[in-house]
Amino acid sequence: MKILVCITHVPDTTSKIAFTDDNTKFDTNGVQYIIGPYDDYALARAVEIKEQQGGSVTLLNVGTAETEPTIRKGLAIGADDAIRINAEPTDSFFVAEQIAAIVKEGNYDLVLMGRESIDYNGGQVHGMVGEMVGLPSISPVMQLDIEGDTAKLAREIEGGKESLEVKLPLIAGCQEPIAEWKIPNMRGIMTARKKPLEVREPSSSNSKTSTFKYELPPPKGEVKMIDPEQVEELVRALKSDIKVL
Amino acid sequence: MSILVFVENAEGAIKKTSLEAVSYAAALAENLGESEVVALSIGTEVSEGTLASLGKQGATKVLNVAKEELNQGVTQAYASVIAQAIESTNAQHIVLAKSSLGDPVAARVAIKVNAALASNVVDLPDLSDGFKVKRSIYTGKAFAWMTLNSDRKIIAIKKNAIEVKESGNDAPVEAFDASIDEADFSAKITHTDKAEGDVLLPEADIVVSGGRGMKGPENWGMLEDLAKTLGAATGCSKPVSDMNWRPHHEHVGQTGVKVSPTLYIAVGISGAIQHLAGVNSSKYIVVINQDPEAPFFKAADYGIVGDAFEIVPKLTEAIKAS
C-alpha cells in the first residue's frame, strides 16, 4: 500500500488569533505551529494501515522552510519520507495543483488529508485534487478500512453517517474518529531526523482567489449571571430581551 | 446570464441551509442586476410543489433532475450534474450551502467549470471594486476578505449566516435532463445511518449541549427533555463523545461539528478553547455550570452557577409554563 498524506502547518488550536500590518497579516507572535488536527487523524490512520498491510507513507506539505519542524514531527509519528513544495500556499486551488502534480507521478493507492485546514476551513483541496487527477474523493471520512483493492469507508453526513465502498486509488478528507492520534516516541523523533525530506519547487503558480484583509469579530459583552433559584428570569430574558423563544 | 443555486434536500424537504442559499442568490442577483435565479434540485424525493415554493426565497425558475439513481448524494455524480446545469444556464455565479455534501461537490465543480471558489461566506459580496467576499476563518475566530479573480465564481455560504427570505410567489419547475456517467458512481453508498425525527445539529436554531458535568449517558434524558421543549438539537463536548456517552455526530467543537445557532445552551461544559471554536458563531450562549470559574462563562451571554441536575428540569418546566 503506497500512501500519500498531505499535511498542513497551522497555528495550535489554543492560539490567540490576531493580525498585524493594518489587518493584512496573521500575527505569528507567540504562536506554536502544529500538524493540522484533521491531517493528524489522516496520518495516524495511514500509519496503522501501513503497519497492518505493509507499504509506505509519504508526507506532503506545501510550505516554506518554516514548516520543516512540523514535517519532521509527521516523520516521527511514522511516515517514511516527505516532500515539501517550497512555496507559500496562496489559495486552495494553488495547493491542490501542487498536490495533484505529486499524485499524478506517484502512483499512490491512497491519498489522505484532513477534511479541512483549521486556519482557512475551506474543505476544498481533496475534492479539487480528485477532479484534477480523475480519482474519486470522499470527505469527511470517519472510518477507513482496506480490503484487497477496495476501501470501505464511512463519511459523516448531517445528523448521521453514510457507508461507502470504492475501488482504490482514492482520495479521502479525514476526521475523527478514523484513528487515535499518535504521539511521537523518542525512537521516532531520533529516526525522523534521518528520514529523507525532498524539497521541490512548485509546479505552477496559479491562484483564483486572493485574501487582502482580515477582521476579528466584535468583542463579546459581559455575561449576565442569573440566580439559580430564579430560572424564570432566564426564560424571561430569552423571550423578551433577546427574543429567541 | 443567471445565478445558479444548488439546493440540497432531506426527508422530502429542502434543507434550511439551501433556503438560505437561495435567499442569498436572490439578493446577489439584485445587487448584480441579474434577473434569473435558477435553483437546481437533484433526485426525486422532493415534490414539485415544494420545489416551486423556492420562489418564496427568490428563485425565478427551478431545474429538477428527477433521476432516482441521484437520490443519494454521490459527490462525483452531483458535481457532474451541477457543472452541466452551469453550462446550460450560462451561470457565472453559483451559490450553495457549505455542508458535508456541499464542500466536496463545490470543490469538484470549481475545477470542472474553471471557477474561483469561496467557502464559509457570511455576507453578500462587496461589488464596489471587483468581487470581494467576507468569509469565516480560524473556526469562527476571525474573518478574511477575499477577491475572486475568475469570471466564474462559486460561493459556499456558512450555515445560519444568511436570513431566509419568505415572500414572493411560486417558481416554475422544469425538468433538466443531465447525462449520467457510470464512472461517476465509482463510490457506492452501501448504507446510511441517520438519526430520525431529530432536529439536525448543524442546522439547528437552538442547540442544547452537555459535557462531562452530566456525569454519565444515563443523565441525558433531562437534556433531551429541554431540547424537545425548545425544538432544539442536542450536542456534546469532545470528552463525552470520546467516552461514547453520545454519538460522534453530536460532538461540537473545533474537530467536530461547528454550529452557529441563534441560541446555544451549554450544560456541564467547562469551555475548553477547542469547544468554544465550534460554538463561537452562536448568536447567544447560555452556560450552566457548577464551577463559577469555568472559562465558558467568559464567552456566555447568560450564566447560571449551580447544579445542572436541579437547574435543567426547573428550566424545562419554566419554559413549558411560559
Side-chain angles (χ1 to χ4, degrees):
Chain A
M1 189 69 49
K2 197 174 170 195
I3 308 173
L4 182 72
V5 180
C6 309
I7 60 170
T8 52
H9 167 82
V10 292
D12 182 274
T13 53
T14 59
S15 300
K16 185 174 176 351
I17 304 301
F19 302 98
T20 61
D21 296 27
D22 200 19
N23 284 331
T24 59
K25 285 203 176 75
F26 178 69
D27 184 358
T28 57
N29 197 16
V31 170
Q32 293 280 326
Y33 280 82
I34 57 168
I35 299 173
Y38 295 117
D39 310 324
D40 234 338
Y41 284 113
L43 174 57
R45 187 67 191 126
V47 171
E48 286 174 359
I49 292 170
K50 186 187 85 166
E51 284 167 359
Q52 290 158 3
Q53 309 205 354
S56 64
V57 175
T58 298
L59 285 182
L60 175 60
N61 171 256
V62 180
T64 60
E66 287 173 8
T67 72
E68 290 202 359
T70 301
I71 298 172
R72 289 285 172 202
K73 189 184 166 203
L75 290 168
I77 287 170
D80 300 285
D81 54 9
I83 303 166
R84 177 170 69 81
I85 306 296
N86 187 31
E88 188 75 54
T90 47
D91 75 346
S92 306
F93 183 80
F94 172 79
V95 173
E97 280 204 325
Q98 309 314 316
I99 296 173
I102 300 295
V103 172
K104 275 178 191 162
E105 70 173 51
N107 208 21
Y108 297 98
D109 301 297
L110 266 178
V111 179
L112 304 183
M113 61 187 83
R115 65 177 290 182
E116 65 183 36
S117 68
I118 61 158
D119 49 5
Y120 276 77
N121 306 116
Q124 301 163 14
V125 171
H126 38 74
M128 286 183 172
V129 174
E131 191 64 33
M132 284 170 178
V133 301
L135 288 179
S137 58
I138 314 285
S139 177
V141 174
M142 52 198 292
Q143 195 183 325
L144 169 64
D145 293 298
I146 307 296
E147 291 177 15
D149 63 350
T150 302
K152 294 192 169 181
L153 312 96
R155 73 183 277 270
E156 185 159 313
I157 54 174
E158 276 74 18
K161 69 175 181 179
E162 195 171 72
S163 303
L164 301 103
E165 282 185 20
V166 57
K167 295 266 186 230
L168 300 177
L170 157 77
I171 294 165
C174 305
Q175 67 167 42
E176 63 182 329
I178 193 167
E180 289 278 332
W181 276 355
K182 298 195 184 316
I183 297 163
N185 56 28
M186 190 48 73
R187 189 170 166 273
I189 293 166
M190 299 304 285
T191 54
R193 289 181 191 166
K194 292 177 192 154
K195 288 180 178 173
L197 195 169
E198 183 190 349
V199 179
R200 292 202 198 179
E201 292 308 308
S203 55
S204 68
S205 59
N206 304 315
S207 295
K208 290 187 183 291
T209 63
S210 49
T211 297
F212 60 95
K213 191 174 70 176
Y214 300 95
E215 254 179 60
L216 290 174
K220 196 94 185 162
E222 280 284 298
V223 57
K224 186 174 180 206
M225 297 308 290
I226 307 272
D227 185 331
E229 299 300 323
Q230 302 290 328
V231 292
E232 297 79 10
E233 172 57 18
L234 176 62
V235 178
R236 190 206 59 74
L238 298 179
K239 275 190 101 145
S240 307
D241 295 351
I242 58 173
K243 298 180 174 60
V244 292
L245 298 187
Chain B
M1 281 186 291
S2 57
I3 295 179
L4 186 83
V5 48
F6 165 55
V7 294
E8 290 183 53
N9 63 68
E11 322 272 316
I14 306 288
K15 284 188 176 185
K16 178 177 171 257
T17 48
S18 290
L19 299 180
E20 292 165 359
V22 179
S23 300
Y24 182 97
L28 177 63
E30 201 173 318
N31 291 358
L32 288 167
E34 301 276 7
S35 55
E36 262 206 320
V37 176
V38 181
L40 175 70
S41 170
I42 301 177
T44 62
E45 293 187 339
V46 183
S47 71
E48 198 162 310
T50 301
L51 291 177
S53 73
L54 287 166
K56 291 189 175 62
Q57 281 75 50
T60 55
K61 184 165 80 176
V62 182
L63 294 182
N64 185 20
V65 187
K67 291 180 189 275
E68 273 187 24
E69 60 267 45
L70 291 168
N71 283 349
Q72 290 177 311
V74 180
T75 305
Q76 283 170 272
Y78 270 42
S80 170
V81 169
I82 294 168
Q84 290 174 57
I86 292 168
E87 298 299 348
S88 165
T89 56
N90 192 24
Q92 293 298 294
H93 299 88
I94 299 98
V95 180
L96 76 169
K98 180 174 165 67
S99 69
S100 64
L101 178 66
D103 278 349
V105 165
R108 294 193 83 108
V109 173
I111 303 306
K112 281 182 188 291
V113 303
N114 196 24
L117 167 56
S119 180
N120 250 349
V121 172
V122 295
D123 211 341
L124 284 164
D126 173 357
L127 302 171
S128 58
D129 174 26
F131 193 101
K132 300 171 196 156
V133 293
K134 183 178 175 181
R135 55 185 301 258
S136 173
I137 57 168
Y138 291 108
T139 324
K141 288 188 271 188
F143 300 101
W145 278 93
M146 172 192 267
T147 307
L148 276 65
N149 300 319
S150 295
D151 289 342
R152 274 205 172 125
K153 300 167 179 71
I154 303 179
I155 300 155
I157 60 169
K158 185 179 163 86
K159 287 158 192 156
N160 285 342
I162 306 298
E163 208 170 320
V164 175
K165 189 173 140 186
E166 285 287 355
S167 59
N169 301 314
D170 282 2
V173 180
E174 289 177 15
F176 181 69
D177 189 21
S179 66
I180 306 287
D181 186 344
E182 228 3 79
D184 286 338
F185 289 89
S186 56
K188 305 251 182 277
I189 297 170
T190 54
H191 189 68
T192 303
D193 291 310
K194 202 149 186 180
E196 276 181 32
D198 293 336
V199 181
L200 291 180
L201 177 62
E203 298 182 14
D205 206 38
I206 303 179
V207 175
V208 175
S209 247
R212 259 189 297 208
M214 294 303 298
K215 297 196 165 91
E218 67 280 7
N219 297 323
W220 240 259
M222 65 178 187
L223 290 188
E224 284 167 336
D225 284 348
L226 175 59
K228 202 169 171 190
T229 306
L230 289 165
T234 53
C236 67
S237 64
K238 185 171 189 309
V240 164
S241 68
D242 283 351
M243 290 183 288
N244 288 322
W245 292 1
R246 300 297 293 175
H248 172 73
H249 66 255
E250 288 194 5
H251 160 208
V252 173
Q254 178 130 31
T255 56
V257 180
K258 283 101 168 176
V259 295
S260 41
T262 308
L263 177 63
Y264 186 79
I265 302 178
V267 183
I269 303 177
S270 63
I273 200 159
Q274 292 86 350
H275 186 79
L276 292 180
V279 305
N280 56 15
S281 301
S282 306
K283 199 163 178 189
Y284 298 104
I285 295 175
V286 172
V287 169
I288 300 168
N289 204 299
Q290 203 145 26
D291 176 8
E293 302 300 319
F296 216 154
F297 284 118
K298 290 197 177 96
D301 297 278
Y302 296 94
I304 302 181
V305 176
D307 184 352
F309 295 90
E310 288 175 16
I311 293 166
V312 171
K314 272 204 284 187
L315 181 59
T316 306
E317 287 312 310
I319 292 165
K320 280 182 185 163
S322 70

